[in-house]
């Protein structure tokens, strides 16, 4: 009886106890073990190493590399069943198997160690939806399917209903065969950039081969939109690059038609991924009526050193028919360069560049961006600077450019160099003890600047003469600062300024009785001959000055104890300075030359350094000017009624600025015999209801004669009323404001922190049934800018001066989450007409985008309607209808 109990225990009970104890059985790969020994019971955490052996032709035992040469880890949350022979394992619910870099997750997984295969599938939920689909990961690859069978030995697999991400796109396939680690073959698949489970559009691939992270090669294919097949046009074959890193390739051109330039292919070319340090893109445009263009752009970067980009564009546009009056040919160019240096590369030396130079007509005829079209001024700078360590010296060099594309004027400064010495204190001891002595505050600094520049039309730059047309010189500046001192609350600062300019030419003037020189500069009679004398010409001047400034405060507190205003503070900062400069018009200086100008013997003084790059000669006559200015600031402290939670007495009040700044400045020359008082400059800035307002005006205290030349008669002696203050020669006023809708989500996230709301009863909470209703709120923003400018009368032909007023409007509105609309316009109030006006309507179609742009009038009158794929990979997959602004006029 005992042996029966033992046998029953060994065959019935012991296996279950072995399973419950989760033993680990490991077989070393180098052991020659029969396959039958592997039929042991294992659990989810078991590690199985399998070795296969063989016999060669000589009859010797030969060891082969095992197919499964790494641990297989698996687990499941529901149940795990092992077959009696130990060759199969069945995993249920959130099953997971890991082998080397392969990871598989699914609801059900079947692992067959004998055939080296693994099978996985999902499960249908209560509503018939497939859940816990097999998710296969191998390295960087990841895809989901409904069923999957994979062989560890051949690395081949059969997959059904799989969706795999390939770069920016997705491949949906009913049945796929995996023939390599990253190689797939599929039939009747869908390629799309739409990330929806059921894509809105796709390319139906009759057959395809996918090499992950490299390329996709297809046979015949056709487009399907919203499940409607478009068999024509059919794509006989396809090639889709699919590299995770950037690579070289052809840039597909855009196509279209313009009325003036004809049919076109635009932006076609080649992209060269040269290396990790730089790349190069070469593109071109061609039009059926002879116009063409070419562009090249390169990006470069060296990590921790520098980076930037460079671009060159050239265009040749032909308009009209050759032989007719409207025929014209224009060539334009554009150069763009941006370079920056890493701040850590060299802290004592920097090099940077920002270049934007083009011919005046380039943006007008070739710009497709509205901001480029509106830009009329451009500037460039190439800068190098060097700081000499442990010294007060530094050096900088700049190449500058500026141009106005309206009148085609260009200004070049090639180069401009500056050597600077920071302020030093020569009388200060190196090893000083105690406080700084009065004389030790004496300081001096030095600046030298060299410039070589020209200002001319674009067409005249290359043909200009360096000796006569270019301006150059060196300027030395040596300000000497004396120690400032206080007398009471007034601070005094004396100083001496010395300036010296070195020019390389000067002018000599001669009256020629019968001569005529109509090319003389403005203001010089035609019968005065100008001779240029080359050589070093030294021009210097100096002045003495002393300034005084202080702060004066005024306070006002309302007597009413219930007033919300606690106090009003007025801060006034007056400043007065006196400067003296000697008469540099004396003959021994040689700066001014007295020359006869007519037959009657009348003479005039002419500047021998006229038009110098740093200005002409110092002014004639002594100057003893008193400069004065007053800055005002007005603010108040009032009770903050929006926040009743503050308990501290000071925190209950907040500061409110009434006038941010109000300044008045002018000067009076004590030595001049007339017109001693300079015009008053008045500037003001304030904020009203969140609107920043800027105002400014220039008031001349003197009257003018019939030729609008200033005369020594004060306006307050000749006029009455407001005119007694003086003549307004210039004035401006500008303000703007932005409005936007309330952000409901932000309000919910900051509930209780909004200072504009007072605590109140809680809002009524709607039943959950209303949660699915659409929120009809439409986020929007709107803004405007107003500008008023006045210029006083300067001649009899314009006695009332000139006034310009402009109003700019802009706005955006999100009609729904998918619909957005924007508009902008500028209105010239004085002329009563609109300037550039544009409307834009955009619709997000998930994987597609629809946009409509409309400029209703003006030179840029045009429209465009485009439906295009959102993915940049399929940027040429679009439907477009447009009318170019180039079709408005015959050039």
């Amino acid at each position: 009886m005992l042996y029966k109990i033992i046998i029953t225990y060994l065959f019935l009970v012991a296996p279950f106890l072995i399973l419950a104890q989760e033993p680990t059985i490991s077989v070393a790969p180098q052991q020659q073990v029969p396959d039958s020994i592997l039929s042991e019971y294992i659990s989810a955490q078991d590690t199985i190493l399998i070795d296969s052996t063989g016999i060669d032709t000589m009859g010797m035992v030969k060891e082969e590399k095992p197919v499964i040469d790494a641990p297989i880890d698996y687990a499941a949350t529901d149940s795990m069943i092992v077959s009696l022979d130990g060759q199969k394992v069945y995993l249920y619910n959130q099953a997971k198997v890991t082998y080397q870099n392969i990871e598989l997750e699914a609801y059900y997984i079947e692992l067959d160690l004998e055939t080296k295969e693994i099978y996985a599938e999902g499960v249908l939920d209560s509503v018939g939806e497939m859940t816990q689909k097999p998710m296969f990961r191998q390295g960087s690859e990841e895809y989901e399917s409904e069923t999957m069978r994979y062989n560890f030995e051949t690395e081949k697999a059969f997959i059904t209903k799989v969706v795999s991400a390939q770069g920016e796109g997705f491949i949906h396939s009913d049945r796929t065969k995996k023939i390599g680690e990253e190689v797939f073959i599929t039939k009747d698949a869908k390629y799309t950039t739409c990330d929806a489970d059921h894509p809105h559009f796709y390319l139906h691939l009759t057959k395809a081969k996918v090499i992950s992270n490299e390329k996709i090669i297809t046979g015949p294919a056709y487009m399907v939109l919203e499940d409607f097949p478009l068999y024509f046009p059919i794509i006989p074959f396809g090639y889709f690059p699919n590299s995770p890193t950037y690579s070289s390739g052809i840039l597909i051109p855009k196509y279209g038609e313009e009325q003036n330039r004809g049919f076109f292919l635009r932006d076609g070319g080649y992209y060269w991924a040269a290396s990790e340090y730089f790349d190069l893109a070469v593109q071109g445009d061609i039009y059926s009526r002879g116009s063409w263009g070419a562009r090249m752009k390169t990006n470069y970067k060296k990590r921790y050193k520098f980076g930037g980009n460079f671009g060159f564009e050239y265009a040749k546009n032909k308009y009209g028919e050759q032989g007719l009056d409207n025929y014209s040919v224009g060539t334009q160019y554009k150069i763009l360069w941006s370079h920056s240096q890493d701040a850590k590369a060299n802290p004592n030396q920097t090099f940077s560049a920002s270049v934007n130079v083009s011919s005046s007509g380039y943006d007008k005829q070739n710009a497709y961006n509205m901001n480029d079209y509106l830009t009329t001024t451009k500037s460039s700078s190439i800068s190098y600077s060097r700081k000499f360590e442990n010294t007060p010296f530094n050096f900088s060099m700049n190449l500058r450019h500026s141009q106005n594309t309206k009148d085609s004027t260009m200004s070049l400064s090639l180069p401009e160099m500056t050597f600077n010495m920071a302020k030093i204190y020569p009388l200060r001891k190196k090893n000083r003890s105690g406080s700084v002595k009065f004389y030790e505050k004496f300081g001096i600094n030095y600046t030298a600047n060299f410039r070589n520049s020209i200002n001319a039309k674009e067409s005249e730059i290359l043909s200009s003469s360096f000796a006569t047309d270019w301006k150059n010189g060196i300027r030395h500046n040596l300000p000497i600062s004396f120690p400032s001192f206080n007398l009471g609350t007034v601070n005094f600062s004396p100083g001496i300024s010395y300036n010296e300019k070195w020019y390389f030419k000067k002018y000599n003037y001669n009256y020629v009785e019968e001569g005529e020189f109509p090319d003389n500069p403005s203001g010089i009679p035609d019968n005065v001959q100008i001779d240029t004398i080359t050589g070093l010409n030294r021009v210097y001047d100096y002045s003495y000055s002393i300034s005084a400034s202080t702060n004066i405060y005024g306070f006002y507190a309302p007597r009413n104890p219930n007033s919300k205003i606690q106090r009003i503070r007025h801060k006034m900062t007056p400043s007065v300075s006196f400067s003296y400069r000697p008469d540099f018009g004396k003959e021994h200086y040689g700066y001014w030359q007295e020359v006869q100008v007519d037959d009657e013997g009348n003479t005039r003084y002419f500047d021998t350094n006229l038009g110098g790059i740093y200005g002409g000669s110092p002014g004639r006559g002594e100057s003893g000017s008193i400069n004065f200015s007053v800055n005002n600031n007005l603010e108040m402290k009032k009770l903050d009624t929006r926040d009743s939670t503050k308990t501290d007495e000071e925190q209950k009040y907040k500061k409110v600025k009434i006038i941010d700044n109000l300044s008045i400045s002018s000067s009076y020359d004590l030595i001049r015999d007339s017109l001693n008082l300079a015009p008053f400059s008045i500037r003001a800035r304030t904020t009203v209801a969140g609107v920043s307002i800027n105002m400014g005006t220039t008031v001349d205290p003197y009257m003018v004669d019939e030729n609008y030349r200033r005369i020594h008669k004060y306006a307050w002696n000749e006029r009455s009323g407001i005119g007694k203050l003086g003549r307004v020669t210039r004035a401006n006023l500008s303000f703007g404001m932005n409005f936007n809708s309330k952000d409901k989500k932000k309000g919910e996230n900051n509930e209780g922190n909004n200072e504009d709301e007072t605590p109140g009863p809680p809002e009524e909470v709607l039943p959950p049934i209303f949660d699915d209703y659409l929120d009809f709120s439409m986020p929007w923003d709107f803004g405007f800018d107003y500008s008023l400018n006045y210029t006083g009368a300067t001649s009899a032909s314009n006695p009332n001066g000139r006034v310009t007023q402009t109003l700019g409007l802009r706005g955006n509105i999100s009609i729904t989450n998918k619909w957005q609309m924007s508009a902008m316009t500028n209105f010239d109030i004085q002329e009563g007409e609109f300037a550039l006006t544009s409307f834009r309507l955009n619709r997000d179609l998930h994987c597609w985008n629809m946009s409509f742009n409309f400029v209703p009038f003006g030179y840029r009158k045009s429209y465009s309607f485009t439906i295009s794929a959102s993915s940049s990979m399929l940027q040429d997959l679009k439907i477009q209808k447009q009318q170019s602004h180039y079709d408005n006029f015959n050039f």
Side-chain angles (χ1 to χ4, degrees), residues 94-110:
Q94 297 183 6
K96 182 177 180 180
V97 174
T98 303
Y99 172 69
Q100 292 183 340
N101 66 335
I102 297 175
E103 185 177 303
L104 179 64
E105 297 178 2
Y107 172 79
Y108 169 74
I109 295 179
E110 177 183 331

PDB file of all heavy atoms in Angstrom, residues 94-110:
ATOM      1  N   GLN A  94      -1.683  40.041 -21.170  1.00  0.00           N
ATOM      2  CA  GLN A  94      -0.498  40.884 -21.003  1.00  0.00           C
ATOM      3  C   GLN A  94       0.775  40.045 -21.020  1.00  0.00           C
ATOM      4  O   GLN A  94       1.670  40.198 -20.197  1.00  0.00           O
ATOM      5  CB  GLN A  94      -0.589  41.712 -19.713  1.00  0.00           C
ATOM      6  CG  GLN A  94      -1.750  42.686 -19.698  1.00  0.00           C
ATOM      7  CD  GLN A  94      -1.791  43.544 -18.453  1.00  0.00           C
ATOM      8  OE1 GLN A  94      -0.884  43.487 -17.635  1.00  0.00           O
ATOM      9  NE2 GLN A  94      -2.840  44.343 -18.316  1.00  0.00           N
ATOM     10  N   ALA A  95       0.801  39.155 -21.987  1.00  0.00           N
ATOM     11  CA  ALA A  95       1.971  38.291 -22.141  1.00  0.00           C
ATOM     12  C   ALA A  95       3.132  39.089 -22.722  1.00  0.00           C
ATOM     13  O   ALA A  95       2.938  40.000 -23.534  1.00  0.00           O
ATOM     14  CB  ALA A  95       1.629  37.113 -23.049  1.00  0.00           C
ATOM     15  N   LYS A  96       4.333  38.687 -22.320  1.00  0.00           N
ATOM     16  CA  LYS A  96       5.520  39.388 -22.772  1.00  0.00           C
ATOM     17  C   LYS A  96       6.677  38.409 -22.877  1.00  0.00           C
ATOM     18  O   LYS A  96       6.932  37.629 -21.957  1.00  0.00           O
ATOM     19  CB  LYS A  96       5.873  40.511 -21.804  1.00  0.00           C
ATOM     20  CG  LYS A  96       7.067  41.342 -22.213  1.00  0.00           C
ATOM     21  CD  LYS A  96       7.317  42.485 -21.237  1.00  0.00           C
ATOM     22  CE  LYS A  96       8.518  43.322 -21.651  1.00  0.00           C
ATOM     23  NZ  LYS A  96       8.773  44.434 -20.717  1.00  0.00           N
ATOM     24  N   VAL A  97       7.397  38.474 -24.031  1.00  0.00           N
ATOM     25  CA  VAL A  97       8.565  37.633 -24.258  1.00  0.00           C
ATOM     26  C   VAL A  97       9.709  38.535 -24.709  1.00  0.00           C
ATOM     27  O   VAL A  97       9.531  39.390 -25.593  1.00  0.00           O
ATOM     28  CB  VAL A  97       8.288  36.558 -25.334  1.00  0.00           C
ATOM     29  CG1 VAL A  97       9.568  35.786 -25.661  1.00  0.00           C
ATOM     30  CG2 VAL A  97       7.215  35.593 -24.848  1.00  0.00           C
ATOM     31  N   THR A  98      10.890  38.332 -24.118  1.00  0.00           N
ATOM     32  CA  THR A  98      12.070  39.132 -24.455  1.00  0.00           C
ATOM     33  C   THR A  98      13.222  38.205 -24.795  1.00  0.00           C
ATOM     34  O   THR A  98      13.528  37.267 -24.029  1.00  0.00           O
ATOM     35  CB  THR A  98      12.475  40.041 -23.291  1.00  0.00           C
ATOM     36  OG1 THR A  98      11.374  40.871 -22.934  1.00  0.00           O
ATOM     37  CG2 THR A  98      13.658  40.928 -23.681  1.00  0.00           C
ATOM     38  N   TYR A  99      13.848  38.468 -25.987  1.00  0.00           N
ATOM     39  CA  TYR A  99      15.000  37.685 -26.419  1.00  0.00           C
ATOM     40  C   TYR A  99      15.983  38.634 -27.110  1.00  0.00           C
ATOM     41  O   TYR A  99      15.666  39.211 -28.161  1.00  0.00           O
ATOM     42  CB  TYR A  99      14.559  36.578 -27.373  1.00  0.00           C
ATOM     43  CG  TYR A  99      15.720  35.838 -28.029  1.00  0.00           C
ATOM     44  CD1 TYR A  99      16.548  35.011 -27.290  1.00  0.00           C
ATOM     45  CD2 TYR A  99      15.977  35.993 -29.390  1.00  0.00           C
ATOM     46  CE1 TYR A  99      17.599  34.340 -27.888  1.00  0.00           C
ATOM     47  CE2 TYR A  99      17.023  35.332 -29.995  1.00  0.00           C
ATOM     48  CZ  TYR A  99      17.846  34.492 -29.239  1.00  0.00           C
ATOM     49  OH  TYR A  99      18.881  33.851 -29.829  1.00  0.00           O
ATOM     50  N   GLN A 100      17.169  38.823 -26.495  1.00  0.00           N
ATOM     51  CA  GLN A 100      18.167  39.759 -27.008  1.00  0.00           C
ATOM     52  C   GLN A 100      17.517  41.138 -27.190  1.00  0.00           C
ATOM     53  O   GLN A 100      16.978  41.704 -26.250  1.00  0.00           O
ATOM     54  CB  GLN A 100      18.791  39.215 -28.299  1.00  0.00           C
ATOM     55  CG  GLN A 100      19.650  37.985 -28.072  1.00  0.00           C
ATOM     56  CD  GLN A 100      20.331  37.491 -29.318  1.00  0.00           C
ATOM     57  OE1 GLN A 100      19.922  37.801 -30.441  1.00  0.00           O
ATOM     58  NE2 GLN A 100      21.374  36.703 -29.146  1.00  0.00           N
ATOM     59  N   ASN A 101      17.530  41.707 -28.431  1.00  0.00           N
ATOM     60  CA  ASN A 101      16.931  43.027 -28.658  1.00  0.00           C
ATOM     61  C   ASN A 101      15.509  42.924 -29.182  1.00  0.00           C
ATOM     62  O   ASN A 101      14.950  43.891 -29.700  1.00  0.00           O
ATOM     63  CB  ASN A 101      17.785  43.842 -29.641  1.00  0.00           C
ATOM     64  CG  ASN A 101      17.787  43.227 -31.037  1.00  0.00           C
ATOM     65  OD1 ASN A 101      17.577  42.030 -31.191  1.00  0.00           O
ATOM     66  ND2 ASN A 101      18.046  44.061 -32.045  1.00  0.00           N
ATOM     67  N   ILE A 102      14.911  41.720 -29.077  1.00  0.00           N
ATOM     68  CA  ILE A 102      13.545  41.500 -29.553  1.00  0.00           C
ATOM     69  C   ILE A 102      12.616  41.474 -28.349  1.00  0.00           C
ATOM     70  O   ILE A 102      12.895  40.817 -27.332  1.00  0.00           O
ATOM     71  CB  ILE A 102      13.445  40.184 -30.342  1.00  0.00           C
ATOM     72  CG1 ILE A 102      14.320  40.241 -31.589  1.00  0.00           C
ATOM     73  CG2 ILE A 102      12.002  39.894 -30.722  1.00  0.00           C
ATOM     74  CD1 ILE A 102      14.377  38.944 -32.344  1.00  0.00           C
ATOM     75  N   GLU A 103      11.501  42.194 -28.467  1.00  0.00           N
ATOM     76  CA  GLU A 103      10.509  42.242 -27.407  1.00  0.00           C
ATOM     77  C   GLU A 103       9.134  42.137 -28.030  1.00  0.00           C
ATOM     78  O   GLU A 103       8.812  42.843 -28.986  1.00  0.00           O
ATOM     79  CB  GLU A 103      10.652  43.546 -26.619  1.00  0.00           C
ATOM     80  CG  GLU A 103       9.731  43.635 -25.412  1.00  0.00           C
ATOM     81  CD  GLU A 103       9.938  44.904 -24.624  1.00  0.00           C
ATOM     82  OE1 GLU A 103      11.080  45.136 -24.187  1.00  0.00           O
ATOM     83  OE2 GLU A 103       8.962  45.674 -24.466  1.00  0.00           O
ATOM     84  N   LEU A 104       8.313  41.225 -27.495  1.00  0.00           N
ATOM     85  CA  LEU A 104       6.975  40.999 -28.029  1.00  0.00           C
ATOM     86  C   LEU A 104       5.972  41.040 -26.895  1.00  0.00           C
ATOM     87  O   LEU A 104       6.144  40.363 -25.873  1.00  0.00           O
ATOM     88  CB  LEU A 104       6.909  39.653 -28.764  1.00  0.00           C
ATOM     89  CG  LEU A 104       5.549  39.270 -29.349  1.00  0.00           C
ATOM     90  CD1 LEU A 104       5.128  40.258 -30.436  1.00  0.00           C
ATOM     91  CD2 LEU A 104       5.586  37.853 -29.913  1.00  0.00           C
ATOM     92  N   GLU A 105       4.903  41.824 -27.102  1.00  0.00           N
ATOM     93  CA  GLU A 105       3.810  41.915 -26.125  1.00  0.00           C
ATOM     94  C   GLU A 105       2.497  41.627 -26.839  1.00  0.00           C
ATOM     95  O   GLU A 105       2.293  42.086 -27.969  1.00  0.00           O
ATOM     96  CB  GLU A 105       3.771  43.303 -25.479  1.00  0.00           C
ATOM     97  CG  GLU A 105       5.002  43.656 -24.668  1.00  0.00           C
ATOM     98  CD  GLU A 105       4.915  45.065 -24.097  1.00  0.00           C
ATOM     99  OE1 GLU A 105       3.885  45.718 -24.324  1.00  0.00           O
ATOM    100  OE2 GLU A 105       5.871  45.505 -23.431  1.00  0.00           O
ATOM    101  N   ALA A 106       1.602  40.873 -26.185  1.00  0.00           N
ATOM    102  CA  ALA A 106       0.293  40.558 -26.767  1.00  0.00           C
ATOM    103  C   ALA A 106      -0.595  39.961 -25.688  1.00  0.00           C
ATOM    104  O   ALA A 106      -0.156  39.693 -24.553  1.00  0.00           O
ATOM    105  CB  ALA A 106       0.449  39.593 -27.939  1.00  0.00           C
ATOM    106  N   TYR A 107      -1.861  39.729 -26.060  1.00  0.00           N
ATOM    107  CA  TYR A 107      -2.756  39.048 -25.113  1.00  0.00           C
ATOM    108  C   TYR A 107      -2.386  37.579 -25.001  1.00  0.00           C
ATOM    109  O   TYR A 107      -2.314  37.017 -23.911  1.00  0.00           O
ATOM    110  CB  TYR A 107      -4.203  39.190 -25.572  1.00  0.00           C
ATOM    111  CG  TYR A 107      -5.155  38.353 -24.740  1.00  0.00           C
ATOM    112  CD1 TYR A 107      -5.572  38.786 -23.488  1.00  0.00           C
ATOM    113  CD2 TYR A 107      -5.583  37.096 -25.192  1.00  0.00           C
ATOM    114  CE1 TYR A 107      -6.407  38.006 -22.705  1.00  0.00           C
ATOM    115  CE2 TYR A 107      -6.421  36.308 -24.420  1.00  0.00           C
ATOM    116  CZ  TYR A 107      -6.824  36.769 -23.177  1.00  0.00           C
ATOM    117  OH  TYR A 107      -7.646  35.988 -22.400  1.00  0.00           O
ATOM    118  N   TYR A 108      -2.124  36.928 -26.159  1.00  0.00           N
ATOM    119  CA  TYR A 108      -1.803  35.505 -26.169  1.00  0.00           C
ATOM    120  C   TYR A 108      -0.502  35.301 -26.932  1.00  0.00           C
ATOM    121  O   TYR A 108      -0.324  35.810 -28.046  1.00  0.00           O
ATOM    122  CB  TYR A 108      -2.927  34.716 -26.837  1.00  0.00           C
ATOM    123  CG  TYR A 108      -2.561  33.274 -27.122  1.00  0.00           C
ATOM    124  CD1 TYR A 108      -2.485  32.334 -26.093  1.00  0.00           C
ATOM    125  CD2 TYR A 108      -2.292  32.856 -28.423  1.00  0.00           C
ATOM    126  CE1 TYR A 108      -2.147  31.020 -26.354  1.00  0.00           C
ATOM    127  CE2 TYR A 108      -1.961  31.540 -28.698  1.00  0.00           C
ATOM    128  CZ  TYR A 108      -1.890  30.623 -27.663  1.00  0.00           C
ATOM    129  OH  TYR A 108      -1.554  29.316 -27.923  1.00  0.00           O
ATOM    130  N   ILE A 109       0.420  34.541 -26.325  1.00  0.00           N
ATOM    131  CA  ILE A 109       1.689  34.210 -26.963  1.00  0.00           C
ATOM    132  C   ILE A 109       1.936  32.722 -26.793  1.00  0.00           C
ATOM    133  O   ILE A 109       1.789  32.170 -25.688  1.00  0.00           O
ATOM    134  CB  ILE A 109       2.860  35.011 -26.361  1.00  0.00           C
ATOM    135  CG1 ILE A 109       2.693  36.515 -26.631  1.00  0.00           C
ATOM    136  CG2 ILE A 109       4.187  34.536 -26.945  1.00  0.00           C
ATOM    137  CD1 ILE A 109       3.803  37.369 -26.047  1.00  0.00           C
ATOM    138  N   GLU A 110       2.312  32.090 -27.916  1.00  0.00           N
ATOM    139  CA  GLU A 110       2.666  30.667 -27.905  1.00  0.00           C
ATOM    140  C   GLU A 110       4.130  30.545 -28.316  1.00  0.00           C
ATOM    141  O   GLU A 110       4.508  30.963 -29.416  1.00  0.00           O
ATOM    142  CB  GLU A 110       1.785  29.891 -28.867  1.00  0.00           C
ATOM    143  CG  GLU A 110       2.143  28.419 -28.960  1.00  0.00           C
ATOM    144  CD  GLU A 110       1.285  27.677 -29.976  1.00  0.00           C
ATOM    145  OE1 GLU A 110       0.118  28.097 -30.185  1.00  0.00           O
ATOM    146  OE2 GLU A 110       1.772  26.708 -30.571  1.00  0.00           O
TER     147      GLU A 110
END
